[in-house]
Amino acid sequence: MRPLRRSTVYDVAKEAGVAASTVSRAFTNPRRVSPATREHILGVAEQLGYRPNPLASALQSGRTATVALLVPDITNPHFFGTIRGAERRASTAGLTFILSHTEESGHNEQRQIERLERSVDGFVLAASRMSDETTVELAREHNLALVNRQIEGLPGASVDDGRGSWQIVEHLASLGHRSLAYLSGPKDSWLAGERWKALRAAAAGHGMRATRLGPFSPKMESGAAAADAALVDGATALVAHNDLLAIGILRRLAERGLDVPRDRSVVGYDDIFGADLCVPALTTLSGPHETAGRAAVELLLERVTRPGTPPRQVVLPPHLVVRDSTGPAPV
Amino acid sequence: MRPLRRSTVYDVAKEAGVAASTVSRAFTNPRRVSPATREHILGVAEQLGYRPNPLASALQSGRTATVALLVPDITNPHFFGTIRGAERRASTAGLTFILSHTEESGHNEQRQIERLERSVDGFVLAASRMSDETTVELAREHNLALVNRQIEGLPGASVDDGRGSWQIVEHLASLGHRSLAYLSGPKDSWLAGERWKALRAAAAGHGMRATRLGPFSPKMESGAAAADAALVDGATALVAHNDLLAIGILRRLAERGLDVPRDRSVVGYDDIFGADLCVPALTTLSGPHETAGRAAVELLLERVTRPGTPPRQVVLPPHLVVRDSTGPAPV
DNA sequence: CAACTTTTGGCAATCGCTTGCCATCATGAT
DNA sequence: ATCATGATGGCAAGCGATTGCCAAAAGTTG
């Protein structure tokens, strides 16, 4: 590999018989040069194989044409949709897309932001673990958009899991369940908090008993512990923090000789790939997470191109996908 | 958002009573300044909240501490392992990680490389769709590492699907199958080519008949067409280009009233999440794709830190995971 | 103590582009 | 013909680091 010398604005300028500034403008600010010279410059640039150096450009202008997405756990299928959506949107806007894993730690998020601050135009924070205060503080100096987290005054896109949780409870109530157990996820996850609040409220509204168990790590392996805890609790309906956990629970219940949905009903969140493959196929709350990822990048863009506009919050409706893991409450 | 003015080397230099060059060296080349001044500078920098601007640094030095991963299709679970592995390795090496989707097009890969060339230290190309010639050509000017593609003289990490295909055939042969159909994937995928070559050779070695059908797009939706084609062919063993396709095939066969593994055996490649959840659970070739992703970044790093060393090729062994979708050939 | 080597730090050029400001020129209005 | 006006292009000063080269200081050696 021999990184050959690329031609610069100066080479193009000399060859085209204009000043470097004019070359620059021909590329970044077309209306600032006459159509004729622009054509000419572009032609010369083309034949010289000129390509603007994004670093140099960013250094001077402060605009990097890059966004970063910070996810707590790259390994968790829950985030794939968000990653996809964000990447696709960035790509169509001609933005470079940086992906970074924060290991479920707010502190890490903060460090990444500091590390990348000069290299990006903004950050999308997915399921951020940082406190409201820290986030607001950071938002003063950085361009942030949140996914699945709502903070007053900050732009964000989230799936309305509160409303979704009501749907879950209604579904379960209609099947005659009188009690549910929520197998909770990471305790500093905002989304998890929202889910539980809504579940509890909805349960109360339907005269159902609701208990929160856990927290459990949102992985299949935690399913056993979660299932066992739920059995002790005795609730007939188990609502798991996410599909991974729900699938783990399904497995454990089968091991312990219980039939789903006859003896217990199980519901998950996310509708990940695989949720309809397992047996019984999982009833789960499907959220437009890809859309959320896309929207978040969109919001970031908005703040760059039209600063001063008030931050928007996009809330997306989820829908319950009823499959085979829920059924009438046992008598 | 008010991007406050960050302090620069000059601020630190003035405050510490040294030259900017010394500050720079204190950070990037510690042994070039005396321990005492270094300590002092670091202290001042700390209290001024100084953070080096990666853009400025990259512009001058040519080193960006960034790598890019180009994948044909972000949506395909096959790549999740590679993405994870590459991201994790990059992250532990302190590198910024750029993820980019090339829409299954070699031409797009090339454009991305051109766009990002100054912004990264190297590229990992996963399942590249470019021709050998183009790739070799690009490798002259860029730092490339390939995943699941082998080109003479270029560094790369790949899963040995040739060997894996032999394992598949041996497994099928041992179950008494006398014929197999390979439901092929994208036709310009190198990996797909390797698989078929090995399958055909192995089948010949075992006196089995082998046909290649397709190409099919490697998605679940294509399963129906693939299954139907295979039924026409009559082979008792169906080997699908990947698990997605295999799962689609499973569904179609069930729809058409055929029992797997009694009437037909089905095998996939990749062992994606969900392969053990579907019914029957899928027999599939599990490859260490995460390791491959990690290794590729490793190779890139090697070329940056020790230029001149001959490019290495890492070949990783896959293993066959036998589940419930394969069984004795029907009599 | 002279002569020589090694450390340490500073100077200034450089990476490649952007942009505020100014000069020029063509245009239209008067 | 005169002047205000806008369009166009050039000049030059950055952006914030890195690094080759040099000089002074410090350390070695006989």
Side-chain angles (χ1 to χ4, degrees), chain B residues 235-280:
Chain B
T236 57
L238 315 191
V239 182
H241 171 257
N242 74 2
D243 286 350
L244 249 25
L245 188 58
I247 292 173
I249 289 174
L250 247 28
R251 301 214 147 174
R252 178 59 169 185
L253 291 177
E255 266 175 41
R256 298 200 39 181
L258 289 164
D259 184 82
V260 173
R262 200 194 53 209
D263 303 321
R264 292 289 187 280
S265 284
V266 175
V267 184
Y269 283 86
D270 292 350
D271 195 21
I272 60 173
F273 178 85
D276 60 334
L277 298 175
C278 59
V279 208

Side-chain angles (χ1 to χ4, degrees), chain B residues 20-161:
Chain B
S21 48
T22 309
V23 175
S24 170
R25 290 197 265 258
F27 277 89
T28 60
N29 197 352
R31 355 163 351 109
R32 190 61 179 62
V33 308
S34 76
T37 28
R38 181 173 137 81
E39 276 310 295
H40 177 219
I41 290 175
L42 260 39
V44 172
E46 168 76 43
Q47 104 188 42
L48 254 53
Y50 166 73
R51 263 177 324 252
N53 181 329
L55 264 49
S57 159
L59 178 58
Q60 162 64 23
S61 71
R63 283 169 271 108
T64 59
T66 303
V67 297
L69 171 64
L70 269 41
V71 286
D73 179 13
I74 264 206
T75 278
N76 186 334
H78 170 251
F79 293 108
F80 290 158
T82 310
I83 296 177
R84 272 206 291 272
E87 197 280 344
R88 303 323 318 276
R89 185 66 188 88
S91 161
T92 59
L95 302 174
T96 298
F97 181 74
I98 292 180
L99 176 61
S100 189
H101 170 112
T102 60
E103 296 173 358
E104 308 263 5
S105 132
H107 180 246
N108 257 326
E109 283 180 59
Q110 203 170 342
R111 287 202 345 179
Q112 300 276 12
I113 292 180
E114 286 169 1
R115 213 177 73 79
L116 294 172
E117 63 179 357
R118 318 305 306 242
S119 312
V120 307
D121 288 341
F123 296 89
V124 175
L125 269 36
S128 170
R129 301 298 195 240
M130 296 190 295
S131 71
D132 282 17
E133 297 71 43
T134 317
T135 314
V136 168
E137 183 61 34
L138 285 170
R140 244 198 282 288
E141 296 179 9
H142 303 287
N143 192 9
L144 306 183
L146 309 173
V147 168
N148 286 339
R149 172 81 178 258
Q150 286 168 215
I151 297 180
E152 176 73 28
L154 301 190
S158 41
V159 174
D160 191 350
D161 272 0

